Amino acid sequence: QVQLVESGGGLVQAGGSLRLSCAASGMIFSIKDMGWYRQAPGKQRELVAAITSGGSTNYADSVKGRFTISRDNVKNTVYLQMNSLKPEDTAVYYCKVVRSSFSYWGQGTQVTVSS
């Protein structure tokens, strides 16, 4: 099993920044992809950004140029730096890691961007 603990969410004004963190523990060897998803009220969960074990990244078009995903393989932590936040970025953000073909999810952290 892999346990994920997210932190860094909160309330911010439009144009502001937040940094999310997700620390993995437990059976953390062989973790491959790590990523962030979000789910706004009444909408489906969507991919925000993902990063492979080799450092390749993938972003949703809506966040390209504003968000940056990174990972620290020593600390088993994935980060999401969010800049130039918009009200439409408001959602619960979930961390996801993939290990041995299994996906593990964090509990979610609320990000609210006021206009």
Side-chain angles (χ1 to χ4, degrees):
Q1 294 289 330
V2 176
Q3 293 78 45
L4 302 173
V5 177
E6 299 153 343
S7 61
L11 173 64
V12 65
Q13 290 188 330
S17 298
L18 284 174
R19 187 192 194 207
L20 305 183
S21 299
C22 174
S25 62
M27 298 181 71
I28 57 177
F29 55 92
S30 299
I31 285 180
K32 296 182 177 179
D33 297 346
M34 305 181 83
W36 290 94
Y37 289 70
R38 68 186 180 187
Q39 187 166 19
K43 295 187 176 181
Q44 289 189 330
R45 191 171 297 188
E46 63 176 359
L47 172 69
V48 176
I51 185 167
T52 68
S53 56
S56 297
T57 57
N58 181 38
Y59 294 93
D61 288 342
S62 59
V63 307
K64 283 180 181 177
R66 300 188 297 122
F67 291 10
T68 303
I69 189 170
S70 61
R71 63 190 284 173
D72 184 329
N73 291 327
V74 174
K75 295 182 178 180
N76 299 298
T77 300
V78 60
Y79 305 95
L80 186 68
Q81 178 66 44
M82 305 185 293
N83 299 327
S84 303
L85 282 161
K86 304 175 180 180
E88 51 263 43
D89 295 317
T90 295
V92 177
Y93 284 70
Y94 297 90
C95 170
K96 173 187 168 183
V97 303
V98 177
R99 176 190 173 275
S100 299
S101 302
F102 288 93
S103 295
Y104 299 88
W105 292 89
Q107 79 284 0
T109 184
Q110 177 70 46
V111 171
T112 302
V113 185
S114 63
S115 58

